[in-house]
Amino acid sequence: MVEQLVERIRNKDQQAMKQLYLQYVGELSSVCHRYVPADDDAKDVLQNSFVKIFKSIPTMEYRGETSFKGWMRKVVVNESLNFLRERKRLNWVTLDTTKLQLEDDEEPKVERVSPDELHRLVSELPDGYRTVLNLYVLEGYSHKNIAEMLGIKEGTSASQLFYAKQKLARKIKDLMKGKR
């Protein structure tokens, strides 16, 4: 079905574009909101992503639905990162990565937090922390890949992840205290 949509889009079929959009807008919107939590900004980034997707479809090689979804997801992540870079909203903190360890009592009890609450807590993290956390944990990129993508050092990526986890752990603890 997706392969047929892609072929129809290559033939400039507007209805196929609409179908593809409706099929993936929810999933890609979620990806976008993980990086750009402000709703209006996320909508702009998502729209730019779909424009780029539709412009690129004629020249891309279709390799199956899973690969296609991964490619679209990557477009959204890259557009989100471009947005954050352009707005200079990525602030980096660097420290000696050999000293990065969470204390046992700081490990977040993520399983006790609903997905919606966890998403809200992550969205409240500073942009740099949130971006590296998403790229590392959810997208599966290494610190080396993240450093290349963001134009930072590997140690900076590692420290951003460390601070993101630390801050998220505190937020989860505070949330759990409030529920008691």
Side-chain angles (χ1 to χ4, degrees), residues 43-102:
K43 286 177 182 176
D44 289 345
V45 170
L46 188 62
Q47 179 178 342
N48 291 340
S49 298
F50 270 105
V51 167
K52 191 168 268 186
I53 287 166
F54 290 135
K55 282 184 177 180
S56 300
I57 283 178
T59 58
M60 56 107 37
E61 184 180 336
Y62 184 81
R63 296 184 178 156
E65 185 175 355
T66 303
S67 177
F68 182 70
K69 281 175 58 173
W71 171 73
M72 288 194 306
R73 181 185 184 102
K74 193 175 253 186
V75 169
V76 172
V77 169
N78 287 335
E79 283 298 304
S80 298
L81 296 178
N82 287 339
F83 171 83
L84 292 172
R85 258 193 235 87
E86 288 170 8
R87 299 295 192 287
K88 300 200 182 345
R89 292 171 59 172
L90 295 175
N91 298 313
W92 309 113
V93 176
T94 310
L95 59 84
D96 182 0
T97 57
T98 60
K99 298 177 182 172
L100 300 181
Q101 287 184 316
L102 288 176

Side-chain angles (χ1 to χ4, degrees), residues 94-153:
T94 310
L95 59 84
D96 182 0
T97 57
T98 60
K99 298 177 182 172
L100 300 181
Q101 287 184 316
L102 288 176
E103 295 179 21
D104 288 340
D105 66 333
E106 284 193 59
E107 282 297 322
K109 305 287 188 244
V110 178
E111 65 278 355
R112 294 176 47 197
V113 179
S114 76
D116 287 342
E117 287 175 317
L118 186 58
H119 176 73
R120 181 183 58 77
L121 294 175
V122 170
S123 74
E124 293 172 355
L125 293 172
D127 292 329
Y129 294 0
R130 185 182 61 254
T131 300
V132 172
L133 179 76
N134 283 324
L135 290 170
Y136 188 85
V137 175
L138 299 173
E139 306 297 335
Y141 288 108
S142 68
H143 287 300
K144 181 178 181 179
N145 294 134
I146 294 168
E148 289 169 1
M149 290 171 75
L150 300 176
I152 59 176
K153 295 178 181 175

